[in-house]
Amino acid sequence: MTRRPSLAGRLSRALAACVALALIVMVVASTLVMRSWMLANMDSELHRLSQRAGERLDVEDAPDDEVDTDDDSNEESDDDSDDDSDDDGARTTLQSSGRAPRPGGPLVPGGPKGHGFGGAGIAEGTLQYVSEDGEAAGAVVSNFSVTYLNAPALAILAAVPADGGMHTVRLKGMGTFRVTARVVEGKTVLVGIPMDSIDDVVLMLVGVEIGLSLVVAIAAGFAGRAWVRRELRPLGVVRAAAADIASRDLADESGNLTRVGEETTAGPVEVADVAGALNSMIDAVEDGMERRARSEAKVRQFVADASHELRTPLASVQGYAQLARRDIGEASRTQALERISSEGARMASLVEEMLTLARLDGNRALTCDRVDVIPVILDALSDAHVVAPDHAWELGEAVDAPVLGDESALRQILTNLLANARVHTPAGTRVVVSVLRSRDEAVAASAAPRGPAKGGGSATGAQASSMITIRVADDGPGIPADIRDRVFDRFVRGDSSRTRDGRGSSGLGMSIVESLARAMGGSVRLVDSEKGTVIDVTLPAA
């Protein structure tokens, strides 16, 4: 499998490409500016030469054997003169025009210069051309000598407009010239300056700038790669932390996962965001694993407690069944069958309570209806009086305020609370049920505290004005201090006995109350009191 290019490499190459592009633009711009500036200087110099040439340049200044004419009838061309056609072809003498020849000749360094071609003040490479009455002559100062132009060159120069503007022409074998032509006293005068110097300077400038640009682009690539690697180094720490987590068995090693340090989270924003997200993910993983471990521990404890609770009645049923099979009296057999029936009912009740908790643990949805609390309380008090007439069951202060919830669940809450008061208090105990509006409190609608509320406080949540509290208070001995913090846990009892005059407690009643209250959006808490037990169930008001 082909290895994908690294981010550092791609970023460094992109940086080098951007620098190279910027340098190319700079090279082109600087070259154009330099060339324009040099052309402007050349055009200024050319204008000065054009003014001077118009005063002294004459076609008669050329030697008679170098003056070209436009009369093609004087040209001689044969097979024997082909070798001299580049220098003397299409040339005629001035004798046919009646003009007397004037001497020309080489320009001697340091020697005198007269008017005309190659005269005083003419620089090396200067092009001069004059056309008058159909006759034309031109020359270039080359190597301190006057080199006269041949017919093709003269034809090219003759085509240059005599408008005083600046033009560029290329003469074969002589190079490129910047020329200007104008008409002076009936003759066309053209002067030019070679552009080879400009081209050489431009080429040299482009070469130097391209070389420097390559060096700068390569240096920028290497420097950018080093810089990008340094900036992205924290990502290596993040990768190492993620790899360490991936190499572990989270089922056995959920704690002490590797987190990235402050030097990574304090780096560049993008890297810091990734590092922070990784740390948050690790926190979530650890929290989830801890909650899973606690849940599994609760499940194991629940199974163990349920098995323990069911073992006793099962043993009783088995023992009485064996007793009933023996040859015993009718009265003993009847007693054994009654005990088998009571223990079976006890197991059925325990199983039903465990199923209720299982359904609540599975987030079973309860109905949310308007429920009048006072009639439900009166029914629960009436049932409790029938079962335990030796207790005083009373309705205390009660506001006529309905709640939102499930009526069956509310009846089960009251039944369990009153049964808890009946089982764990002696005869003659006074049990009072009240309905109150919550005052100066905010009550949690979803996750109420499990255990006693110190100082009468409660969990934070929905506003108190929207909550109704059902209080069940008795003046009995109260809940022992060692289990007050666990009173709503499963299989927790107020006494250690499993049967009490046939009224055994499974230890699931308070857990069911707490689960039902939470399922209806309320909460339950054990209130500190000087005497007896006070339990508040808070539910949303309708």
Side-chain angles (χ1 to χ4, degrees):
M1 181 177 179
T2 305
R3 187 173 182 269
R4 299 178 61 186
S6 65
L7 178 61
R10 286 185 289 172
L11 289 178
S12 60
R13 286 193 291 272
L15 177 62
C18 292
V19 171
L21 180 61
L23 291 174
I24 289 173
V25 174
M26 183 189 70
V27 168
V28 173
S30 62
T31 301
L32 293 177
V33 170
M34 176 62 74
R35 193 173 188 276
S36 299
W37 178 77
M38 295 178 69
L39 282 178
N41 290 341
M42 179 173 287
D43 291 346
S44 178
E45 177 66 17
L46 193 59
H47 182 70
R48 183 185 64 81
L49 289 177
S50 177
Q51 290 180 342
R52 291 178 56 190
E55 301 172 355
R56 56 184 174 79
L57 193 60
D58 199 312
V59 70
E60 297 178 357
D61 293 334
D64 57 349
D65 59 345
E66 295 293 340
V67 176
D68 293 313
T69 180
D70 294 332
D71 187 1
D72 294 336
S73 62
N74 294 328
E75 293 182 0
E76 296 181 359
S77 174
D78 52 31
D79 295 338
D80 295 335
S81 61
D82 289 341
D83 295 339
D84 299 330
S85 60
D86 291 339
D87 296 330
D88 298 326
R91 296 177 181 173
T92 62
T93 63
L94 263 175
Q95 294 177 357
S96 60
S97 65
R99 295 180 182 271
R102 292 195 177 187
L107 182 64
V108 180
K113 293 181 181 179
H115 291 289
F117 296 103
I122 300 303
E124 173 73 13
T126 301
L127 169 67
Q128 295 177 325
Y129 168 85
V130 62
S131 175
E132 183 180 4
D133 297 333
E135 297 180 359
V140 175
V141 178
S142 176
N143 295 326
F144 300 101
S145 298
V146 177
T147 302
Y148 291 93
L149 303 178
N150 54 20
L154 293 177
I156 293 174
L157 297 179
V160 176
D163 55 1
M166 304 299 169
H167 305 277
T168 302
V169 297
R170 180 175 181 79
L171 302 180
K172 185 176 180 180
M174 297 181 182
T176 304
F177 292 84
R178 187 76 166 173
V179 301
T180 181
R182 62 193 183 96
V183 178
V184 179
E185 298 178 357
K187 58 183 178 182
T188 301
V189 178
L190 180 146
V191 294
I193 300 176
M195 296 183 63
D196 294 340
S197 59
I198 293 180
D199 295 337
D200 293 342
V201 172
V202 169
L203 289 176
M204 181 182 67
L205 178 63
V206 170
V208 171
E209 289 183 340
I210 289 178
L212 291 176
S213 298
L214 289 175
V215 173
V216 172
I218 294 174
F222 282 104
R225 187 180 183 86
W227 175 72
V228 171
R229 282 184 173 179
R230 183 177 65 84
E231 291 297 320
L232 296 181
R233 189 177 301 133
L235 286 180
V237 179
V238 175
R239 182 193 61 79
D244 178 72
I245 295 174
S247 64
R248 296 190 181 192
D249 184 2
L250 297 182
D252 299 328
E253 304 178 37
S254 60
N256 300 323
L257 297 179
T258 304
R259 290 174 172 79
V260 294
E262 184 178 356
E263 69 280 357
T264 302
T265 56
V269 176
E270 293 79 4
V271 178
D273 290 343
V274 174
L278 178 64
N279 286 341
S280 299
M281 182 191 71
I282 294 174
D283 293 338
V285 169
E286 288 186 346
D287 181 65
M289 297 302 295
E290 289 177 1
R291 286 188 287 108
R292 177 181 175 183
R294 289 195 299 268
S295 177
E296 291 177 349
K298 287 183 178 180
V299 169
R300 288 193 294 268
Q301 185 64 36
F302 180 80
V303 171
D305 291 340
S307 301
H308 184 74
E309 292 294 330
L310 291 172
R311 184 175 60 183
T312 299
L314 283 174
S316 298
V317 169
Q318 185 179 15
Y320 283 110
Q322 292 176 355
L323 179 62
R325 293 173 61 185
R326 296 177 183 176
D327 187 11
I328 58 175
E330 188 65 25
S332 298
R333 182 174 288 105
T334 301
Q335 182 182 6
L337 293 177
E338 290 178 353
R339 292 296 297 162
I340 291 174
S341 178
S342 64
E343 292 297 328
R346 180 181 172 187
M347 285 191 295
S349 175
L350 180 60
V351 170
E352 182 63 29
E353 289 177 342
M354 289 190 295
L355 289 176
T356 300
L357 287 174
R359 287 193 293 268
L360 293 173
D361 289 343
N363 296 323
R364 182 177 69 107
L366 299 178
T367 59
C368 186
D369 299 326
R370 179 188 177 93
V371 180
D372 291 329
V373 179
I374 294 178
V376 177
I377 294 175
L378 292 177
D379 291 343
L381 288 174
S382 177
D383 294 341
H385 179 72
V386 172
V387 175
D390 55 350
H391 284 65
W393 307 97
E394 300 178 6
L395 176 64
E397 178 185 355
V399 297
D400 188 10
V403 299
L404 288 176
D406 186 287
E407 182 175 348
S408 298
L410 180 59
R411 289 183 181 277
Q412 189 171 2
I413 288 174
L414 290 171
T415 300
N416 286 356
L417 290 177
L418 296 180
N420 183 74
R422 171 175 54 83
V423 171
H424 298 288
T425 58
T429 301
R430 180 171 176 261
V431 181
V432 180
V433 181
S434 305
V435 181
L436 310 170
R437 289 189 183 275
S438 299
R439 297 186 184 93
D440 301 327
E441 298 183 62
V443 183
S446 59
R450 301 182 52 158
K454 303 300 182 182
S458 63
T460 60
Q463 294 298 321
S465 60
S466 63
M467 307 299 286
I468 299 297
T469 297
I470 301 174
R471 174 169 292 177
V472 178
D474 64 66
D475 57 0
I479 297 176
D482 58 338
I483 64 170
R484 290 181 66 86
D485 292 339
R486 301 181 292 110
V487 68
F488 295 106
D489 289 343
R490 298 174 184 181
F491 298 107
V492 175
R493 300 179 184 80
D495 57 45
S496 59
S497 64
R498 299 190 183 277
T499 60
R500 186 181 180 192
D501 298 332
R503 299 176 298 175
S505 172
S506 64
L508 295 177
M510 298 302 286
S511 297
I512 294 175
V513 169
E514 192 268 345
S515 297
L516 289 173
R518 182 156 41 86
M520 289 190 292
S523 63
V524 61
R525 64 183 184 133
L526 177 63
V527 182
D528 285 343
S529 61
E530 295 179 357
K531 183 179 180 182
T533 301
V534 179
I535 296 177
D536 283 353
V537 178
T538 305
L539 299 174

